[in-house]
Amino acid sequence: MATQLWQKIQAAKKAEQAARIPSEWKLPETALPPHGTVDLRPYAASSGILSDRELHITEKYDATALAGEIAKGTFSAVEVVTAYCKRAAVAQQLCNCLTEIMFLDAMEAAKRLDVEYKKTGKVVGPLHGVPMTFKECFHVKGYDASDGYISRTFEPSTYDSYLIEVVRSLGAVVIAKTNTPQTMLVAEAENNVFGRTKNPVVSHLTSGGSSGGEGSVLSFKGSALGIGTDVGGSIRIPAAANGVYGYKPSFGILPMLKYAASNWVGMNTGIPAVCGPLARSMRDLTLLSRAVREVKPWTADPALIPNIFELEPVDRRPVVGVIYQSGLMLHPPIRRGIQEAAAKLKEAGFEVKEFTPPDFQEIRSVAAELFTIDGLSYPKRELEKAGEPVVESVMKIGHWFKNPKTHEQVWELNAKKGELQKQMLDCWQEAAIDIVLCPAGPHTAVPPNDWYSDTYTVSWNVMDYPAVIVPFTTADPDKDPKDWTFVPLSLENRKVQALYGPELMAGAPVALQFVGPRLGDRQLLKDAELLDKVLNN
Amino acid sequence: MATQLWQKIQAAKKAEQAARIPSEWKLPETALPPHGTVDLRPYAASSGILSDRELHITEKYDATALAGEIAKGTFSAVEVVTAYCKRAAVAQQLCNCLTEIMFLDAMEAAKRLDVEYKKTGKVVGPLHGVPMTFKECFHVKGYDASDGYISRTFEPSTYDSYLIEVVRSLGAVVIAKTNTPQTMLVAEAENNVFGRTKNPVVSHLTSGGSSGGEGSVLSFKGSALGIGTDVGGSIRIPAAANGVYGYKPSFGILPMLKYAASNWVGMNTGIPAVCGPLARSMRDLTLLSRAVREVKPWTADPALIPNIFELEPVDRRPVVGVIYQSGLMLHPPIRRGIQEAAAKLKEAGFEVKEFTPPDFQEIRSVAAELFTIDGLSYPKRELEKAGEPVVESVMKIGHWFKNPKTHEQVWELNAKKGELQKQMLDCWQEAAIDIVLCPAGPHTAVPPNDWYSDTYTVSWNVMDYPAVIVPFTTADPDKDPKDWTFVPLSLENRKVQALYGPELMAGAPVALQFVGPRLGDRQLLKDAELLDKVLNN
């Protein structure tokens, strides 16, 4: 078969990516992991591309500590940014996590920061010299924002998204954008422009998504701080899958202004998308959020709520409500993770009680209908424009085949959503809890094309409650044998449970999800930081 | 022609209303105003139905002062509620402002309050004994919530709206619900169930709407405090038309939970409806809002934003940005009102500057499309159910004939809305103002069926900025002659300007609108209270 036009564009885009990685940062054949290598992370060091000092810079500091060292003059912005660009280049060659590569611009920006620092003796802001990555769906002037649609390639953005402006004004250096799935509605990162992203921890399993490139590059330590977006779990699923921290704010906290939507602008289905950080520590999530809020972004983005994140959180030992299961049954490592975490918190003297929310499967089914009210007319149109095929991971989740709905049906769905929000609020009030501990999903990362459930994450989007992901343990065949007593409650449960293999998932990150009440973001970040310390020492 | 079925239901509903007014409160023929009487307000006293003490109670106190007197024991709840029920009964007979009449229940509630007060020596809450009215679209158990649809009559509500519960828990006594227009989308109060509401100040002009019954009854002093709703001006237009105060909050401040929508539930078109108070003073608007927020309504209504109204407002002399005109040219009394107010504030030493927002007509046209995305399928279905006709005021505004839109069109409209919100925010920031002063509409109250523009109010719904109405002056033929130099900028301007008649509008209230930034509600109320004192001594 002759090469299709869209394949030529794909090839051109891949060539552009390759050209943006300096040849001295390219992995020699001999440094490539042998076929079947599970954990790709050690190849950052063994590649020989980073010096010992660069390995030290990228490995030993979270963004908060790194910014502190740069401020003290321990490292220059140029050496930090160089180290991270190199490591991101290796990540890209091993995991295919990047989309638009901006290393040259990043180095120039770092030089300017160093000049400024020398001149004034001060950092320009709290993120001075911190290398950052952004999910593909943000505009960076001069680079594409294709969101993985062939039809949108080679149309460079003519302006920066507002959040890009803000983090740059705070001193951050944007080194690359990261991969997402076609349609951005699935928990993977695969599209015809950039291909599929790998999970560096367990490379035969998916990176998750839709901010899959972010999860992957953060986990490889190829970025100090990343920004994803989340309408059903798109920050939290890849954070959990790759073993990093992630924060999905309530709507109105962090600015989406002028971002590059992957669907009809605004997508006002009743469940708003939000953006938020992925990071290497709980405190880094707070660092980014506080820094951005300190510029009073509500004076520029009309969608933001003023002064609410700024309320000083209280010192407390939060009462924890644990959702051991809702809607979908859990794979053994996840079940163990939640049980161990609850036990550890109890041991540490926290009040821990079981919390039963409205059924997550019911919440999820409302979300699935709301996400597809137009029958996905935008992605269908974009794919058709370029004649590119639907990728398997999109085909598989079923959204693709949903019919458009009438306005009346949409209103009914939103009324249903309102009822579920009310039920959740009543449950929460009655239980008298401060924070929820629940799984990030029914399973760890799974093989490519098999992540079809966002039940445990999308429920909090429907509620608009803030949630963070905290890595906790890893799947272990000895501790997590197959559950032979398993009796599926539904066909979907059978399907999900069939994915589990103790050896297949061995080493896969197991994460916890902490959730706060709507707009209680600042307190949630503080509470979760305390609980993270208890759980992860 | 034989009586139609819907007319029989109409007659039954009117009979029910009449039966709920005690016969000793019915106006004798001799007490009725002669045909052509303009100002109906003096008939409260001349009717002879209220005692001097009852006239005193209803005339001399705003809700804040009234609550204070009840708390001191000057008046009992029963005498206050009786006085107000009598006056509301007179208002109803003269202005047709009520829908569901609850005088008997109200007196019982007042008795219980007095018993409680005697027992404890304390009021049950900050609204103890304050008689309140609610717009028809709230549920009060045991009474219809027909919203003026024949199809929804004689189906008593089985529960109370949450806000009804809240104000009762604070000691308020609900004495009646008030009239609204068919569809609730026009600035009148006319429907086939209850008929048309009159403006007590200038009875040949409309009461405005959609909370037209509220505006009318408040103006007649038949209620101490009212609750309306507002998606395009429905609190502010009748407040302005009838010369009372009104407050449209930002979305998320006051609870709409379990209200009786007049359209598909939620109406999530991108412009949310809100509820808010109509009152006799600025401080009463604050009284109601603070009292409701003090019960932490966000622990019951998931749509509310916690802790934001609670931020202590600062003492300041706000910088005032004046919109002298936008989109639609003003009738002479309105133009004079704005100019006099601006001059008076300058004289008092306030910083006053001209403020030019994005074009209000453009904002309004986006709103008109968003309000009708389903081609008004709900009201059309309800009218058809009962075979009742469309009333003239609804026919006239043009919404009735709009076609349904696709989801893609709705998304485009919301994207446009987002751009306008961004423009407004940028204008506001650039102008460095604290508060906007602008007209409440292009004109005072107009003759029935002629209020087709919500330009000056709906713009703030599209922005989701809080706004209050402050009565300021009245139309005066001597000061406000026809503008013979008038050159219409458009057909709509010609149409609107043609409505003006110096004698026709003589005595009609002229109001000011003060607007604050989104979610800056508490500060707006404080600022407007200060400015009101300066303007109205």
Side-chain angles (χ1 to χ4, degrees):
Chain A
M1 208 166 102
T3 308
Q4 308 262 316
L5 277 179
W6 72 263
Q7 288 168 315
K8 295 188 185 201
I9 296 172
Q10 178 189 56
K13 230 15 224 180
K14 295 306 280 181
E16 183 188 70
Q17 278 190 312
R20 285 176 178 168
I21 296 177
S23 56
E24 63 275 23
W25 298 356
K26 297 240 162 100
L27 289 171
E29 282 284 332
T30 51
L32 288 174
H35 184 76
T37 304
V38 172
D39 188 348
L40 301 173
R41 292 171 299 176
Y43 290 81
S46 67
S47 69
I49 288 167
L50 285 84
S51 69
D52 284 350
R53 186 171 165 94
E54 286 165 345
L55 288 170
H56 174 82
I57 287 172
T58 51
E59 279 172 16
K60 299 298 177 197
Y61 305 91
D62 64 359
T64 306
L66 189 62
E69 295 301 328
I70 297 171
K72 279 194 286 181
T74 317
F75 309 124
S76 72
V78 166
E79 62 181 344
V80 168
V81 169
T82 305
Y84 268 97
C85 286
K86 282 186 173 181
R87 196 162 180 132
V90 178
Q92 167 64 4
Q93 293 169 75
L94 296 176
C95 301
N96 193 41
C97 47
L98 307 184
T99 55
E100 302 295 320
I101 294 168
M102 307 166 180
F103 299 154
L104 284 182
D105 285 353
M107 312 280 249
E108 289 305 314
K111 275 182 209 159
R112 287 191 300 272
L113 287 168
D114 283 339
V115 169
E116 192 67 19
Y117 182 80
K118 251 188 204 139
K119 208 168 69 185
T120 65
K122 283 190 309 191
V123 293
V124 307
L127 302 179
H128 187 108
V130 174
M132 282 188 72
T133 43
F134 273 74
K135 191 178 182 180
E136 170 66 10
C137 59
F138 285 82
H139 284 294
V140 176
K141 197 175 162 180
Y143 295 91
D144 282 359
S146 69
D147 287 347
Y149 291 117
I150 295 278
S151 59
R152 283 170 51 173
T153 56
F154 297 106
E155 289 181 12
S157 299
T158 54
Y159 53 83
D160 295 324
S161 291
Y162 174 61
L163 187 53
I164 296 276
E165 280 179 36
V166 171
V167 300
R168 281 181 173 161
S169 76
L170 298 168
V173 177
V174 183
I175 64 169
K177 293 205 294 177
T178 56
N179 206 20
T180 60
Q182 202 181 54
T183 74
M184 235 183 257
L185 285 172
V186 298
E188 308 257 359
E190 180 198 18
N191 60 70
N192 291 323
V193 178
F194 301 109
R196 169 179 280 284
T197 296
K198 278 190 177 176
N199 186 321
V201 188
V202 270
S203 68
H204 55 284
L205 303 181
T206 173
S207 65
S210 65
S211 313
E214 278 304 322
S216 177
V217 74
L218 257 292
S219 176
F220 199 82
K221 304 190 194 311
S223 169
L225 202 49
I227 298 287
T229 65
D230 192 318
V231 76
S234 284
I235 288 171
R236 290 162 292 157
I237 288 172
N242 298 282
V244 300
Y245 292 78
Y247 160 43
K248 176 206 87 71
S250 307
F251 183 70
I253 300 295
L254 293 179
M256 297 276 278
L257 187 70
K258 300 198 278 173
Y259 88 115
S262 62
N263 218 307
W264 299 109
V265 184
M267 267 290 280
N268 52 318
T269 60
I271 306 176
V274 296
C275 64
L278 292 93
R280 302 241 287 262
S281 66
M282 262 311 303
R283 66 179 185 172
D284 281 1
L285 301 177
T286 307
L287 169 75
L288 183 281
S289 309
R290 287 189 67 174
V292 170
R293 293 285 299 189
E294 264 162 29
V295 309
K296 298 190 192 300
W298 55 87
T299 60
D301 183 346
L304 296 196
I305 298 175
N307 303 316
I308 188 124
F309 189 85
E310 289 59 40
L311 295 168
E312 208 44 53
V314 297
D315 267 313
R316 68 177 183 186
R317 291 173 69 79
V319 177
V320 182
V322 184
I323 301 174
Y324 288 97
Q325 180 173 295
S326 185
L328 269 184
M329 298 162 83
L330 308 175
H331 280 197
I334 305 293
R335 202 167 53 200
R336 176 174 59 82
I338 289 290
Q339 286 166 349
E340 282 182 10
K344 213 161 171 181
L345 292 175
K346 271 185 207 161
E347 261 169 51
F350 284 86
E351 189 179 344
V352 176
K353 24 178 140 170
E354 186 163 356
F355 177 64
T356 307
D359 184 55
F360 275 10
Q361 272 309 73
E362 194 181 347
I363 301 175
R364 198 235 172 186
S365 71
V366 171
E369 296 304 319
L370 282 171
F371 289 151
T372 54
I373 60 176
D374 66 333
L376 298 188
S377 59
Y378 182 89
K380 283 174 182 168
R381 185 190 71 172
E382 289 305 307
L383 297 197
E384 201 183 326
K385 273 187 191 171
E388 60 167 315
V390 184
V391 299
E392 194 184 341
S393 50
V394 170
M395 273 292 194
K396 245 179 141 168
I397 57 153
H399 282 0
W400 198 251
F401 305 100
K402 294 215 182 262
N403 289 323
K405 279 142 206 102
T406 64
H407 292 302
E408 292 76 11
Q409 286 171 322
V410 174
W411 282 325
E412 264 170 49
L413 286 164
N414 270 295
K416 182 74 203 160
K417 181 195 75 176
E419 283 165 30
L420 290 164
Q421 288 176 329
K422 174 65 176 151
Q423 284 172 32
M424 181 70 84
L425 186 55
D426 289 348
C427 288
W428 191 291
Q429 290 296 320
E430 209 167 300
I433 54 171
D434 294 319
I435 195 169
V436 153
L437 162 62
C438 71
H443 46 58
T444 60
V446 288
N449 303 325
D450 277 340
W451 200 314
Y452 27 68
S453 171
D454 55 4
T455 305
Y456 284 88
T457 46
V458 76
S459 295
W460 304 115
N461 298 85
V462 175
M463 298 300 137
D464 191 24
Y465 287 15
V468 295
I469 294 297
V470 170
F472 180 53
T473 179
T474 52
D476 180 337
D478 292 334
K479 294 178 182 166
D480 307 312
K482 252 198 169 151
D483 181 359
W484 296 108
T485 66
F486 171 76
V487 180
L489 294 173
S490 68
L491 259 178
E492 191 170 1
N493 266 301
R494 181 197 299 270
K495 204 168 122 189
V496 166
Q497 204 63 217
L499 297 173
Y500 185 59
E503 296 302 332
L504 182 71
M505 269 77 174
V510 172
L512 307 172
Q513 185 174 201
F514 288 109
V515 183
R518 179 168 171 249
L519 291 166
D521 292 57
R522 188 75 185 78
Q523 184 71 50
L524 169 68
L525 290 176
K526 188 183 171 83
D527 289 344
E529 199 170 325
L530 173 67
L531 298 177
D532 177 42
K533 273 190 196 125
V534 172
L535 292 166
N536 289 316
N537 306 317
Chain B
M1 208 166 102
T3 308
Q4 308 261 316
L5 278 179
W6 73 262
Q7 289 168 314
K8 296 189 185 201
I9 296 172
Q10 178 188 56
K13 224 28 217 177
K14 295 306 281 180
E16 183 189 70
Q17 279 191 311
R20 285 177 178 166
I21 297 177
S23 56
E24 63 274 23
W25 298 357
K26 296 242 162 97
L27 289 171
E29 282 284 334
T30 51
L32 288 174
H35 185 76
T37 303
V38 172
D39 189 349
L40 301 172
R41 292 171 298 176
Y43 290 80
S46 66
S47 69
I49 287 168
L50 285 84
S51 69
D52 285 351
R53 187 172 165 91
E54 285 164 346
L55 288 171
H56 174 83
I57 286 172
T58 50
E59 279 172 15
K60 299 299 178 197
Y61 305 91
D62 63 359
T64 307
L66 190 62
E69 295 301 328
I70 298 171
K72 279 193 287 181
T74 315
F75 309 125
S76 72
V78 165
E79 61 181 345
V80 168
V81 169
T82 305
Y84 269 98
C85 286
K86 283 185 173 183
R87 197 162 180 132
V90 178
Q92 167 64 4
Q93 293 169 75
L94 297 175
C95 301
N96 193 40
C97 46
L98 307 184
T99 55
E100 302 295 321
I101 294 168
M102 308 165 181
F103 299 153
L104 285 182
D105 285 353
M107 313 279 250
E108 290 303 315
K111 275 182 209 159
R112 286 193 299 271
L113 287 168
D114 284 339
V115 168
E116 192 67 19
Y117 182 80
K118 252 189 203 136
K119 207 168 70 186
T120 64
K122 283 190 308 191
V123 292
V124 309
L127 303 178
H128 187 107
V130 174
M132 284 187 70
T133 43
F134 273 74
K135 191 178 184 181
E136 170 66 10
C137 59
F138 286 82
H139 284 295
V140 177
K141 196 175 162 180
Y143 295 91
D144 282 359
S146 69
D147 288 346
Y149 292 117
I150 297 278
S151 58
R152 284 170 49 173
T153 56
F154 296 106
E155 288 181 13
S157 299
T158 54
Y159 53 84
D160 295 325
S161 290
Y162 174 61
L163 187 53
I164 298 275
E165 281 179 35
V166 171
V167 300
R168 282 181 172 161
S169 76
L170 299 168
V173 177
V174 183
I175 64 170
K177 293 204 294 178
T178 56
N179 207 19
T180 60
Q182 202 181 54
T183 74
M184 235 181 256
L185 285 172
V186 299
E188 307 257 359
E190 181 198 16
N191 60 71
N192 292 322
V193 178
F194 301 109
R196 169 178 281 286
T197 296
K198 279 189 176 175
N199 186 320
V201 187
V202 271
S203 68
H204 54 284
L205 302 181
T206 174
S207 65
S210 64
S211 313
E214 278 305 322
S216 177
V217 75
L218 257 293
S219 177
F220 199 83
K221 305 192 195 308
S223 169
L225 202 49
I227 297 288
T229 64
D230 193 317
V231 76
S234 284
I235 288 170
R236 289 162 292 157
I237 288 171
N242 298 281
V244 300
Y245 292 78
Y247 160 42
K248 175 206 88 69
S250 307
F251 183 70
I253 300 296
L254 293 178
M256 297 277 278
L257 187 70
K258 300 198 277 175
Y259 89 116
S262 62
N263 219 307
W264 298 110
V265 185
M267 269 289 280
N268 52 317
T269 62
I271 305 177
V274 296
C275 63
L278 291 93
R280 302 242 286 264
S281 65
M282 262 312 303
R283 64 179 186 171
D284 281 2
L285 301 177
T286 306
L287 170 75
L288 183 281
S289 309
R290 286 190 66 174
V292 170
R293 293 284 301 188
E294 264 162 28
V295 309
K296 299 191 192 298
W298 55 86
T299 59
D301 183 346
L304 296 194
I305 297 175
N307 303 316
I308 187 123
F309 190 85
E310 289 58 40
L311 294 168
E312 208 46 51
V314 297
D315 267 314
R316 67 176 184 187
R317 291 173 68 80
V319 177
V320 182
V322 184
I323 300 174
Y324 288 97
Q325 181 174 293
S326 183
L328 269 183
M329 299 163 82
L330 308 176
H331 280 198
I334 305 292
R335 202 168 51 199
R336 175 175 59 83
I338 289 290
Q339 284 166 352
E340 282 182 12
K344 214 164 170 179
L345 292 176
K346 271 185 207 160
E347 262 168 51
F350 284 86
E351 188 179 346
V352 176
K353 25 178 138 168
E354 186 164 355
F355 177 65
T356 307
D359 184 55
F360 275 9
Q361 272 310 74
E362 193 181 348
I363 301 175
R364 197 233 173 191
S365 71
V366 170
E369 297 303 319
L370 282 171
F371 288 152
T372 55
I373 59 175
D374 65 334
L376 297 188
S377 58
Y378 182 89
K380 284 175 182 167
R381 185 191 71 172
E382 290 305 306
L383 298 196
E384 202 183 325
K385 272 187 192 170
E388 61 167 315
V390 184
V391 299
E392 194 184 339
S393 49
V394 170
M395 273 293 195
K396 245 179 139 168
I397 56 153
H399 283 359
W400 199 251
F401 305 101
K402 293 214 182 263
N403 289 323
K405 280 142 204 98
T406 64
H407 292 301
E408 291 75 12
Q409 286 170 324
V410 174
W411 282 326
E412 263 170 46
L413 286 164
N414 271 295
K416 181 76 201 157
K417 183 195 74 176
E419 282 166 29
L420 290 164
Q421 288 175 328
K422 173 64 177 153
Q423 284 172 31
M424 181 71 83
L425 186 56
D426 289 347
C427 289
W428 191 291
Q429 289 298 320
E430 209 167 299
I433 54 170
D434 294 320
I435 194 170
V436 153
L437 162 62
C438 71
H443 47 58
T444 60
V446 288
N449 304 325
D450 277 340
W451 201 314
Y452 27 68
S453 171
D454 55 4
T455 305
Y456 284 88
T457 45
V458 76
S459 295
W460 304 116
N461 298 85
V462 175
M463 297 301 137
D464 191 24
Y465 286 16
V468 295
I469 294 297
V470 170
F472 181 53
T473 179
T474 51
D476 180 337
D478 293 335
K479 293 179 182 163
D480 307 311
K482 253 197 166 150
D483 180 0
W484 297 109
T485 65
F486 171 77
V487 181
L489 295 174
S490 68
L491 260 179
E492 189 168 4
N493 267 301
R494 181 197 298 271
K495 204 167 121 188
V496 166
Q497 205 62 217
L499 297 172
Y500 185 59
E503 296 301 332
L504 182 72
M505 269 75 173
V510 172
L512 308 172
Q513 184 174 202
F514 288 109
V515 183
R518 179 168 172 249
L519 292 166
D521 291 57
R522 188 75 186 78
Q523 184 71 49
L524 169 69
L525 290 175
K526 187 183 172 85
D527 289 344
E529 199 170 326
L530 172 67
L531 299 177
D532 178 42
K533 273 190 196 125
V534 172
L535 292 166
N536 290 315
N537 307 316

